[in-house]
Amino acid sequence: MEVGSTRKNIGKRSGNKVRSGLVLTQFTISIAVISATILMFLQLKYIDDQAVGFEHQNKLVLRVQGADSIERIQPLIQQLQDSPAIRNVSLVTGNPITGKYNAAFEALLDNSSGYNLEYDYIRVDENFIETLGLTLSAGRGFETGSEAELRQVLINHAAAEEIGWENSIGKTFTIGGGPPWTVIGEVEDFRHDDMHSRIKPFVFYYDVPDF
């Protein structure tokens, strides 16, 4: 009888240890999940609270591909512009956040020397700056229907600062020894990479596809 009683007590203690271990494991997992949720919330709040330099809310991007879709884009734009729920519509080649391009140009400095600058860029129409909510800090934006705009650009402050242009309006640069491009406007810096990288030079070219 004594031996049997001892074995039962040992079994009970072993079961209690297993249950205690499972409870501790579940408690640890719960703490880890709650901690991860709080961390994710804080990261999203941090991103939302940061100044990104443009209006990132209430934006819809439609990617148009294929000849048939491109032919119908102008009627689509007109329908969107006629909607009272839509403030602005813009046509762009690329995306400043996820679909930008990279190139380099040679800027002409005041002492007649050159400065090679690597930069990101996209091609936009005259409505893009207002549609994205960028801030024009100097000069002007693109104008509708002007062929002269095809040789003019907008740059961000980071581009002007790296080149050393205190007043970038009217400054010129060339690409591969070609004809000059003229800066007509400068926008305040905006985030087009991750939140921890320095803001790189950015250029907006005027380009309205001929449909």
Side-chain angles (χ1 to χ4, degrees), residues 4 20 24 29 44 61 67 70 114 127 129 133 139 147 151 154 169 175 184-185 189:
S20 298
L24 180 60
I29 293 174
L44 292 174
V61 178
I70 291 176
N127 299 319
I129 300 301
E147 293 187 2
R151 301 302 306 178
L154 306 177
I169 308 305
I175 301 175
I184 62 170
D189 287 334

Side-chain angles (χ1 to χ4, degrees), residues 137-158:
S137 57
R140 64 172 178 85
F142 295 122
E143 296 178 350
T144 305
S146 175
E147 293 187 2
E149 305 293 82
L150 297 177
R151 301 302 306 178
Q152 298 173 336
V153 299
L154 306 177
I155 65 174
N156 67 345
H157 179 69

